[in-house]
Amino acid sequence: MLLLRALTDLASSHPQVQGPLPAPRAAWELLIRAERRSPSSVEQLLLHPQVGVWLSRCLRRLRGVEGETADEVPLWLETGYLHTVAASAALLAGIDFRIAIGVRDGGVMLPALGFIELAGCDSPVAEISADSAGGRAVRAGSHTAPLPSDLTRDAKGWHPLRRLYGRHPAHPCSPYLDDLDPYRDFLRPTAPARLSEPEAWRWQEHFDSAWALVAGQSNVDPAGVADCLISVVPVRYPARAEPFSASSPEAYGCVLLNSPTDSATLAASLIHEAQHVKLSALLDLVPLIREGMEEIHYAPWRVDPRPLRGMLHGVYAFLGVTAFWQVHRHAGEDETTPSADFEFALRRAQTARGLRTLRAHAELTALGDRFLRGIEDRLAEWLTEAVPEGALRAAEDLNLDHWLLYRLHHLSVDPVRAGEWARAWRLGRPAPDTLPATALRVSRTVVAARSPLIRLRLRDPAGFALLREKPEERPFDGMDAPLKADLDWADGDAAAALDGYRDLLAAHPDDLPAWSGLALTLPAGPAREALRGCPEVVLAVHRALRDPSLGGPDPVALAHWIGTRR
């Protein structure tokens, strides 16, 4: 409500807001009328996630904080979303009204209700009205589009927001399936992209199955998760190394998700994002960290360094994910158990490492300390739980792979010291005793394809075997066909994978995933010790030794030389 009042005041005096719509005050007064009739209707609109996204984004534009882009909608139209919020509230409250609203993307979006098409309309403004006789319509120029009496059902030109239904007798859950609102994707405004009926039905099938897993949890409160899920937004972002999901403090209850692949993964994603939503709400109420909120550190679930606030979010989110997999892996022995064992082992280790970082670097408030102690108590017993060797080894290898790639991308070695080491190599001397200093330098990251391959092998052995036969296939959205060396590694053939990574580095000596793969597949000895203990040093010295025409030294020989230092 504070943001809404601030926006109304700012927009009323902002020169760029002047447009064909009435002043924001008209929308504000309609909201007041709707609230007098039905306070719950206005509360529903204000708590709708997309309204939060729009408010925050629009305020940033009004204050000049967010830069303009070429495809930006006019400021008067973006501010005019307020008028559609007021119209939705008035419709929900059942009052008579009439107000002008902006036309966008070929129609009008009524937040939390649906989208009305105005095909062929070239007017930038429409008028929406309702009266006690039951007449409700949107008019724009010569177009008149009646609104149906039941706004939850499809009608000619009217597309209601669909809902997903998690049918459970004790813990039902029914978030919107939002493919319409321009602010549904809080990462960027997006035109409506209506799912086909078969696509919507697939989402419903996966959600219903996933919700049954969430509602059957003993580690996670399903009622709390349901309260945190107001809107599910289908997106098509490249999945890369992890299934894509996201949430934002500006969009309480909104979760962005790629199309689900299986029910258990979707259930884990729902819990993960609900944890973020809960913690965002808590951090709005009380501080948990005193100082250094923007200090950045390694996060075992992200390829980029994260601030301590982000670390806290990750620890709490992955505590929930660990809790889910801990129950799910004991739910019954079937073909999914190895995958659940792996996810449990992976997530508990990541959560524990994030906790150690917070304990070492975060200056906590008394409530923050209490919060972390609660997480530590929940995690402690799970850290001692036995996991089958194969799943445990896969989780340990992927966590090591992630750490090595982080170091190779973001740790920069003092070039003077790297040059000294290169001279020692050329002169046939032993490697210096003291490692050169490194500094954090955030850079663009390249994600390795190894974690999706491990997940495929554990979840779908037959599908992985087929991929081994036809590696040119692309089993992951947005990713290139997997490399033979990665397939060999995921299949447990370390010797073949080692040869493959050496060949890759001979052709592309700055292939960072290949350097990490080399560290994963080398047998025990000084070379492996160096590549696992200081990969950024081995890489920096190799770069210092490269000749434009002759290339560089054998990476394994160089790593062995560095690994034999005193």
Side-chain angles (χ1 to χ4, degrees), residues 286-355:
V286 294
L288 300 181
I289 299 177
R290 278 201 187 91
E291 302 291 341
M293 291 282 276
E294 300 310 311
E295 183 180 313
I296 59 175
H297 296 274
Y298 169 70
W301 47 82
R302 289 284 294 249
V303 295
D304 52 334
R306 299 296 291 155
L308 288 174
R309 182 186 179 100
M311 189 74 67
L312 183 66
H313 261 280
V315 164
Y316 187 58
F318 283 109
L319 178 77
V321 175
T322 304
F324 169 76
W325 289 114
Q326 192 272 338
V327 168
H328 189 63
R329 79 191 196 97
H330 294 303
E333 290 291 331
D334 60 24
E335 67 277 2
T336 67
T337 301
S339 177
D341 289 334
F342 160 76
E343 297 290 352
F344 170 69
L346 181 77
R347 299 314 188 186
R348 72 176 179 178
Q350 292 174 336
T351 306
R353 182 157 188 172
L355 263 175

Side-chain angles (χ1 to χ4, degrees), residues 251-268:
Y252 179 88
C254 176
V255 175
L256 309 186
L257 287 168
N258 270 4
S259 182
T261 55
D262 64 274
S263 300
T265 302
L266 176 57

Side-chain angles (χ1 to χ4, degrees), residues 4 7-8 11-12 17-31 34 45 51 54-55 58 75-91 97-103 108-111 113 124-129 183:
L4 194 61
L7 182 137
T8 303
S12 297
V17 176
Q18 304 304 318
L21 291 177
R25 190 75 193 180
W28 177 263
E29 289 170 356
L30 181 55
L31 276 171
L45 263 294
V51 173
W54 159 73
L55 269 170
C58 197
L75 189 55
W76 70 264
L77 184 56
E78 186 141 55
T79 307
Y81 189 82
L82 173 62
H83 298 65
T84 61
V85 170
S88 284
L91 287 168
F97 74 97
R98 184 182 300 272
I99 191 171
I101 50 180
V103 176
V108 172
M109 180 69 206
L110 295 174
L113 293 176
V125 175
E127 182 184 75
I128 183 170
S129 61
Y183 299 102

Side-chain angles (χ1 to χ4, degrees), residues 67-73:
E68 301 286 321
T69 60
D71 59 349
E72 205 83 73
V73 299

Side-chain angles (χ1 to χ4, degrees), residues 355 359 369 371-381:
L355 263 175
R359 280 299 186 194
D369 180 66
F371 186 79
L372 281 198
R373 279 189 282 112
I375 294 175
E376 288 164 341
D377 291 345
R378 291 293 307 277
L379 191 62
E381 61 182 278

Side-chain angles (χ1 to χ4, degrees), residues 105-293:
D105 299 317
V108 172
M109 180 69 206
L110 295 174
L113 293 176
F115 184 83
I116 188 154
E117 283 186 39
L118 296 170
C121 173
D122 56 4
S123 172
V125 175
E127 182 184 75
I128 183 170
S129 61
D131 57 46
S132 54
R136 303 192 294 186
V138 176
R139 297 174 179 84
S142 60
H143 291 71
T144 298
L147 290 169
S149 56
D150 184 352
L151 294 173
T152 66
R153 293 184 175 275
D154 280 287
K156 184 178 179 181
W158 171 251
H159 305 287
L161 278 183
R162 297 182 176 113
R163 283 191 180 272
L164 295 169
Y165 293 96
R167 302 177 180 92
H168 188 272
H171 303 293
C173 182
S174 55
Y176 293 111
L177 179 64
D178 193 345
D179 50 7
L180 296 172
D181 198 292
Y183 299 102
R184 65 190 184 275
D185 183 346
F186 48 77
L187 299 176
R188 59 181 185 182
T190 308
R194 192 65 159 169
L195 296 175
S196 67
E197 289 298 328
E199 287 174 324
W201 179 246
R202 280 196 294 274
W203 272 94
Q204 172 56 38
E205 283 187 315
H206 278 298
F207 184 83
D208 199 20
S209 300
W211 188 252
L213 298 177
V214 175
Q217 280 280 306
S218 56
N219 282 337
V220 176
D221 171 27
V225 177
D227 285 342
C228 292
L229 294 177
I230 299 172
S231 175
V232 170
V233 176
V235 294
R236 291 183 172 89
Y237 289 118
R240 307 183 76 184
E242 300 278 353
F244 178 85
S245 68
S247 54
S248 166
E250 295 178 353
Y252 179 88
C254 176
V255 175
L256 309 186
L257 287 168
N258 270 4
S259 182
T261 55
D262 64 274
S263 300
T265 302
L266 176 57
S269 295
L270 294 174
I271 291 171
H272 175 107
E273 298 306 337
Q275 294 282 94
H276 280 304
V277 170
K278 283 190 287 183
L279 184 54
S280 292
L282 179 63
L283 290 171
D284 276 350
L285 299 174
V286 294
L288 300 181
I289 299 177
R290 278 201 187 91
E291 302 291 341
M293 291 282 276

Side-chain angles (χ1 to χ4, degrees), residues 344-557:
F344 170 69
L346 181 77
R347 299 314 188 186
R348 72 176 179 178
Q350 292 174 336
T351 306
R353 182 157 188 172
L355 263 175
R356 291 196 297 271
T357 299
L358 287 169
R359 280 299 186 194
H361 297 281
E363 185 180 337
L364 302 168
T365 64
L367 285 174
D369 180 66
R370 177 180 167 188
F371 186 79
L372 281 198
R373 279 189 282 112
I375 294 175
E376 288 164 341
D377 291 345
R378 291 293 307 277
L379 191 62
E381 61 182 278
W382 298 336
L383 289 172
T384 62
E385 202 169 294
V387 175
E389 176 63 27
L392 182 63
R393 175 67 182 275
E396 290 173 344
D397 282 352
L398 280 181
N399 277 327
L400 174 61
D401 189 23
H402 191 276
W403 172 231
L404 295 173
L405 280 168
Y406 173 88
R407 294 184 65 146
L408 288 165
H409 279 107
H410 302 303
L411 292 187
S412 174
V413 176
D414 177 0
V416 175
R417 293 296 312 282
E420 293 173 358
W421 281 55
R423 283 192 293 276
W425 165 271
R426 289 192 183 100
L427 294 171
R429 296 173 180 169
D433 294 342
T434 306
L435 286 173
T438 59
L440 184 64
R441 182 203 64 222
V442 181
S443 63
R444 179 180 174 274
T445 54
V446 178
V447 179
R450 289 184 278 266
S451 61
L453 292 174
I454 284 291
R455 285 189 167 94
L456 180 64
R457 180 174 65 79
L458 293 172
R459 187 181 68 244
D460 182 9
F464 180 80
L466 182 62
L467 183 63
R468 288 283 275 153
E469 294 176 11
K470 300 179 179 179
E472 71 280 358
E473 299 292 335
R474 296 189 178 192
F476 312 115
D477 181 31
M479 298 188 71
D480 293 333
L483 298 171
K484 182 179 182 303
D486 288 338
L487 284 165
D488 289 334
W489 176 81
D491 204 20
D493 191 344
L498 175 59
D499 290 341
Y501 292 130
R502 295 184 80 161
D503 289 343
L504 283 169
L505 288 173
H508 308 284
D510 277 321
D511 185 333
L512 301 190
W515 279 99
S516 181
L518 198 65
L520 292 173
T521 52
L522 277 169
R528 188 175 79 171
E529 183 179 333
L531 276 169
R532 293 189 178 191
C534 53
E536 68 282 356
V537 173
V538 181
L539 176 62
V541 176
H542 192 273
R543 284 172 171 166
L545 286 166
R546 285 179 207 162
D547 181 276
S549 56
L550 300 176
D554 173 26
V556 175

